[in-house]
Amino acid sequence: MQISRLLQMTYILLEKGTVTAPELAERFEVSVRTVYRDVEALSQAGIPVYTSQGKGGGISLTDRFVLNKSLLTDKEQDEILFALQSLSAARLPDLGEAFSKLSSLFRKNSTSWIEVDFSPWGSGQKQKELYTLLKQAILEHTVISFTYLSGAGEHISRKAAPMKLLFKDRAWYVEAYCFEKHASRTFKITRMSNVQLLDGDGIQLLELQQKARGTADTSRKEGKGNEMPGISLVLNVEPAAAYRIVDEFKEEDIVKLEDGSFLVNTDMPSGEWLIQYLFSYGDLLEVVEPESLRLEMKARTAKMAGKYLG
């Protein structure tokens, strides 16, 4: 991580000339002390970086400095390029230029041997633009307004200050300070629409975001926040769905039975999403326990059958 940060810091200095330590600290979300340690690391690596005091002062490189690829081993070059390719999974289009520059600098022509893409099949240009907009809001500490589709199927208006993008359980989320709830909230990106950037006080927003981030971190450690209550499940899965359960459940939670089917013992968050997830297996899955969920699945199945048999 430090190698990547040092490389990015070098390019920022090359591009902007002089940058203050607080600016770099905010850019990389680290302390000012860490920035000065990075400056020392760059200096020890042979990069002519220096600091100046007073008005207009800051951290700079000598005017004639050119990044020397020999500072990085061949393996480190490959790792940096792969990291940039992996970040493209978040659909950050401005990474393409940085990737091309580094590929040329390192003289790496065969760099497209792998592609990492978390986006769903068929996702369009609008969703790609949404990621760029959210990234801008996070880095510039800007408020956004948007319409959100709640778990109850209702469209609600929200105003929030995004803090970070999260990828969890095959989906992208944005963690943000919600002005309606006056607290940190996590929103699923595919449920967001009509997203717009709003004007705001960047310094005040940064303070709110930092406060909310601390609250969110504490909530995650204590098992609170937006996490749904867990439920213990026993599932019977037919052999035809083996390809799914090996990807979606822990190996120690799966037992293969004599008839070739599988018994899965696991804990999952409860809620409407769980029922829809279980139904995604079709007739290849049976809920054995708990009885309450089994009865709910039975009732839902009967209701669905009624729509076609009635």
Side-chain angles (χ1 to χ4, degrees):
M1 181 65 182
Q2 186 186 24
I3 291 178
S4 176
R5 188 171 68 244
L6 293 178
L7 186 62
Q8 292 181 60
M9 184 182 297
T10 303
Y11 270 108
I12 290 173
L13 294 175
L14 280 170
E15 181 181 358
K16 296 187 176 182
T18 301
V19 184
T20 67
E23 288 175 335
L24 290 172
E26 180 179 338
R27 167 67 175 79
F28 295 109
E29 296 185 349
V30 297
S31 66
V32 172
R33 180 177 297 180
T34 298
V35 169
Y36 282 119
R37 282 202 296 263
D38 288 344
V39 169
E40 184 178 353
L42 288 173
S43 180
Q44 291 176 352
I47 296 178
V49 58
Y50 65 95
T51 61
S52 57
Q53 304 296 323
K55 185 177 180 180
I59 302 169
S60 310
L61 297 171
T62 57
D63 294 339
R64 296 185 179 182
F65 171 74
V66 177
L67 181 62
N68 189 340
K69 65 177 182 178
S70 64
L71 293 173
L72 302 169
T73 67
D74 193 63
K75 181 180 179 181
E76 289 172 337
Q77 294 173 18
D78 287 335
E79 289 176 346
I80 290 171
L81 292 176
F82 175 68
L84 288 175
Q85 285 181 298
S86 298
L87 283 174
S88 67
R91 308 180 200 176
L92 305 180
D94 51 339
L95 287 177
E97 184 177 356
F99 180 78
S100 297
K101 288 181 179 179
L102 288 178
S103 297
S104 177
L105 176 67
F106 298 154
R107 296 184 180 179
K108 301 281 185 178
N109 297 320
S110 301
T111 53
S112 58
W113 62 278
I114 189 171
E115 180 177 349
V116 182
D117 189 358
F118 295 130
S119 62
W121 292 103
S123 58
Q125 183 63 28
K126 284 187 177 180
Q127 189 135 355
K128 294 180 181 180
E129 293 173 353
L130 175 56
Y131 282 88
T132 303
L133 188 147
L134 291 174
K135 173 197 170 188
Q136 179 182 350
I138 292 170
L139 296 180
E140 297 180 1
H141 310 293
T142 305
V143 175
I144 61 171
S145 65
F146 58 97
T147 302
Y148 192 68
L149 180 62
S150 70
E154 300 176 345
H155 287 89
I156 54 178
S157 298
R158 284 287 180 263
K159 186 169 72 171
M163 297 182 291
K164 68 170 65 172
L165 291 173
L166 306 172
F167 182 80
K168 187 173 183 180
D169 193 26
R170 305 183 298 279
W172 281 100
Y173 300 83
V174 59
E175 188 176 286
Y177 178 84
C178 178
F179 287 90
E180 281 74 16
K181 300 297 182 179
H182 302 287
S184 173
R185 288 293 184 268
T186 302
F187 301 97
K188 194 170 185 178
I189 289 179
T190 54
R191 295 186 183 181
M192 300 172 66
S193 61
N194 303 319
V195 181
Q196 295 183 347
L197 293 175
L198 304 177
D199 294 330
D201 186 340
I203 297 177
Q204 181 182 12
L205 289 177
L206 179 58
E207 294 175 351
L208 285 173
Q209 289 170 330
Q210 290 173 339
K211 180 180 179 181
R213 183 177 288 114
T215 303
D217 292 340
T218 302
S219 297
R220 281 194 288 270
K221 290 178 182 178
E222 297 177 353
K224 301 177 181 178
N226 296 319
E227 296 294 330
M228 293 177 286
I231 181 173
S232 296
L233 303 173
V234 179
L235 311 172
N236 185 274
V237 185
E238 295 189 15
Y243 72 98
R244 281 193 61 177
I245 63 172
V246 296
D247 287 339
E248 299 172 10
F249 298 99
K250 298 177 183 178
E251 183 178 359
E252 57 267 27
D253 293 342
I254 304 171
V255 177
K256 188 173 183 178
L257 304 178
E258 292 183 359
D259 63 356
S261 64
F262 300 88
L263 199 65
V264 179
N265 288 269
T266 187
D267 293 325
M268 300 187 76
S270 62
E272 178 63 25
W273 85 270
L274 175 60
I275 294 175
Q276 300 303 324
Y277 167 76
L278 296 173
F279 270 129
S280 71
Y281 278 82
D283 61 354
L284 299 179
L285 179 146
E286 176 189 0
V287 175
V288 180
E289 295 179 10
E291 183 66 17
S292 59
L293 181 58
R294 180 180 175 87
L295 293 175
E296 177 65 20
M297 297 287 286
K298 182 178 179 180
R300 298 277 187 112
T301 303
K303 185 176 180 180
M304 285 190 291
K307 292 183 177 181
Y308 295 97
L309 300 177

